[in-house]
């Protein structure tokens, strides 16, 4: 409802031009539920129609302009009044005037930069949305439509293995090794644990995947640790010289790519945490950061398109240079 008891005189509907064919992706909302949204990648065009339907046929709607915006913004939950926009594009659909009947307006945001992945966390939310607005003297009429953006990567050029040691002098010496330090979201962590010296009675060992969300800067930094997965390595006492293999499948867990210093507002990092518990319930930890990334076939096709575009550009430049030489 609008001010002074008057209801809205028009309804707005946003329809994407490729709504019937575009893929949807599940995304968690603030209340923890999952909804499906249209999926986009960096550099893709966002286009469609804005339908303005007058609720009372024959009654004119005066307005101060109609526009649509494409917005990427970060909201920190402890600072809800401030929305930090890192993408803000506007298209004017109609100049100030009046509508005498329902009308449809086309829009297109070409090759939109979407630098970050959509994210909903414990203390922060990064979202992309379209917002259509009918500006009026007393009360605007607006409609928002969220989309989901995923960032894709190619295989990392350098992906070294992880080797670490856990030791308590004259009591315990364990070496563990993981096959690499960077994993895609459907990867398998493969590793091995070697018991070189065991003089304390270990009764349980596990590997945890911990997600650490960091928001804010300086004195206003908040850390939220969330244990995403627990993988039991052994239940019982190991002996010297024993080795235990590890195979941890990531596809079954809710993971996002590693996000470092996103717009200087937040980070999301992942750690492998080795936990040992002895018979006296003492706990020993060793933690190692890993990098998670999202892979997709679309990267290959997009890079091909970029290569073709570069070739065309270089070809046109060489052709123009040749023509210039001939004219001289």
């Amino acid at each position: 409802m609008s001010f002074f008891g008057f209801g809205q005189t028009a309804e707005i509907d946003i329809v994407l031009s490729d709504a019937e064919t575009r893929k949807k992706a599940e995304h968690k909302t603030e209340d923890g539920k999952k909804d499906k949204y249209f999926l986009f990648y960096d550099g893709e065009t966002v286009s469609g129609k804005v339908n303005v339907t007058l609720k009372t046929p024959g009654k004119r709607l005066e307005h101060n302009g109609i526009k649509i915006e494409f917005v990427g913004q970060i909201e920190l939950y402890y600072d809800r009044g401030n929305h930090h926009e890192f993408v803000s594009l506007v298209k004017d659909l109609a100049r100030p005037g009046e509508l005498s009947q329902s009308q449809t307006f086309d829009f297109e945001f070409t090759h939109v930069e979407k630098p970050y992945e959509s994210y909903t966390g414990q203390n922060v939310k990064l979202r992309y949305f379209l917002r259509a607005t009918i500006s009026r003297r007393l009360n605007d009429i607006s409609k928002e439509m969220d989309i989901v953006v995923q960032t894709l990567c190619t295989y990392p050029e350098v992906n070294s293995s992880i080797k670490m040691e856990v030791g308590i002098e004259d009591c315990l010496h364990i070496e563990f090794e993981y096959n690499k330090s960077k994993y895609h979201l459907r990867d398998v962590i493969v590793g091995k644990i070697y018991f070189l010296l065991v003089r304390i009675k270990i009764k349980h060992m596990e590997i945890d995947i911990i997600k650490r969300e960091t928001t804010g800067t300086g004195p206003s930094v908040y850390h939220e640790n969330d244990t995403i997965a627990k993988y039991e390595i052994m239940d019982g006492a190991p002996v010297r010289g024993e080795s235990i293999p590890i195979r941890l499948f990531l596809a079954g867990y809710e993971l996002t790519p590693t996000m470092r210093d996103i717009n200087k507002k937040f980070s999301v990092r992942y750690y492998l945490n080795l936990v040992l518990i002895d018979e006296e319930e003492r706990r020993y930890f060793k933690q190692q950061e890993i990098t998670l990334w999202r892979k997709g076939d679309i990267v290959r096709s997009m890079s091909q398109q970029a290569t073709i575009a570069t070739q065309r550009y270089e070809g046109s430049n060489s052709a123009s240079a040749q023509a210039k030489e001939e004219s001289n």
Side-chain angles (χ1 to χ4, degrees):
M1 294 292 288
S2 58
F3 298 119
F4 307 117
F6 294 108
Q8 290 187 347
T9 54
E11 286 184 348
I12 300 175
D13 189 29
I14 304 171
V15 181
L16 295 178
S17 55
D18 55 358
E20 292 184 2
T21 56
R22 179 164 289 277
K23 186 180 175 182
K24 287 188 174 184
E26 277 193 344
H27 189 72
K28 190 170 69 173
T29 57
E30 272 187 63
D31 56 9
K33 295 179 182 177
K34 284 186 177 178
D35 285 330
K36 284 194 170 184
Y37 301 92
F38 288 109
L39 174 61
F40 283 85
Y41 300 102
D42 182 28
E44 283 193 299
T45 294
V46 182
S47 62
K49 298 178 184 297
V50 174
N51 299 321
V52 178
T53 305
L54 300 184
K55 286 188 173 181
T56 308
K59 187 175 181 180
R60 296 177 182 274
L61 172 67
E62 292 186 10
H63 62 86
N64 295 324
I66 302 172
K67 66 180 179 180
I68 186 163
E69 300 163 89
F70 181 87
V71 180
Q73 71 177 23
I74 296 170
E75 180 183 353
L76 300 167
Y77 295 161
Y78 60 81
D79 187 22
R80 283 189 179 270
N82 292 321
H83 294 153
H84 307 277
E85 294 186 355
F86 54 88
V87 176
S88 181
L89 304 173
V90 184
K91 297 277 186 185
D92 289 321
L93 302 177
R95 294 178 178 179
E98 60 180 36
L99 293 179
S100 56
Q101 60 185 9
S102 299
Q103 199 165 338
T104 297
F105 303 92
D106 295 321
F107 70 89
E108 181 176 85
F109 295 101
T110 308
H111 305 310
V112 183
E113 183 184 4
K114 312 174 198 73
Y116 311 123
E117 175 138 341
S118 299
Y119 177 75
T120 302
Q122 302 271 16
N123 289 318
V124 63
K125 177 170 66 177
L126 188 153
R127 63 186 282 245
Y128 295 86
F129 60 93
L130 290 162
R131 178 170 56 212
T133 305
I134 302 173
S135 300
R136 305 193 67 201
R137 189 166 59 88
L138 294 177
N139 60 308
D140 294 345
I141 304 171
S142 66
K143 174 73 175 285
E144 291 185 358
M145 175 184 176
D146 280 78
I147 65 167
V148 162
V149 170
Q150 291 181 353
T151 55
L152 301 179
C153 299
T154 54
Y155 281 97
E157 292 180 8
V158 178
N159 199 355
S160 54
S161 61
I162 300 172
K163 292 183 180 180
M164 289 190 296
E165 294 185 4
V166 177
I168 302 170
E169 191 173 356
D170 296 329
C171 294
L172 180 70
H173 186 188
I174 297 174
E175 286 185 355
F176 56 102
E177 182 178 353
Y178 303 115
N179 60 331
K180 50 191 178 183
S181 56
K182 299 172 183 176
Y183 299 89
H184 63 76
L185 298 184
R186 305 186 69 81
D187 216 334
V188 183
I189 296 175
V190 178
K192 210 161 196 178
I193 296 181
Y194 304 93
F195 296 89
L196 305 179
L197 176 65
V198 184
R199 286 182 180 164
I200 58 176
K201 293 184 177 180
I202 298 171
K203 72 170 186 177
H204 182 77
M205 183 184 293
E206 69 184 29
I207 285 181
D208 302 337
I209 299 177
I210 294 174
K211 181 176 88 169
R212 179 173 298 158
E213 178 186 289
T214 304
T215 52
T217 54
S220 304
V221 172
Y222 297 86
H223 298 287
E224 285 285 348
N225 288 341
D226 187 13
T227 302
I228 303 295
K230 286 180 179 286
Y231 177 80
E232 186 180 281
I233 298 170
M234 50 153 273
D235 191 9
V239 295
R240 181 180 175 180
E242 190 174 358
S243 65
I244 298 176
I246 298 168
R247 287 183 72 84
L248 177 55
F249 293 84
L250 298 180
Y253 301 106
E254 281 191 31
L255 300 167
T256 69
T258 296
M259 308 170 84
R260 291 189 175 93
D261 198 22
I262 300 300
N263 208 44
K264 297 185 176 165
K265 294 292 183 291
F266 73 98
S267 297
V268 179
R269 298 172 185 263
Y270 289 88
Y271 298 85
L272 289 178
N273 192 37
L274 180 68
V275 184
L276 288 76
I277 305 172
D278 67 15
E279 288 190 342
E280 297 180 16
E281 297 299 326
R282 288 177 297 200
R283 301 170 74 88
Y284 308 93
F285 302 93
K286 189 73 173 183
Q287 200 169 87
Q288 173 67 40
E289 183 176 1
I290 58 173
T291 300
L292 298 184
W293 54 281
R294 187 188 299 280
K295 75 169 185 175
D297 294 335
I298 194 168
V299 170
R300 197 175 300 115
S301 61
M302 286 174 72
S303 62
Q304 285 175 350
Q305 289 173 6
T307 303
I308 291 168
T310 304
Q311 289 171 346
R312 283 178 183 164
Y313 175 75
E314 289 173 349
S316 63
N317 276 0
S318 61
S320 60
Q322 187 178 350
K324 194 173 183 181
E325 285 177 9
E326 289 175 356
S327 64
N328 292 335

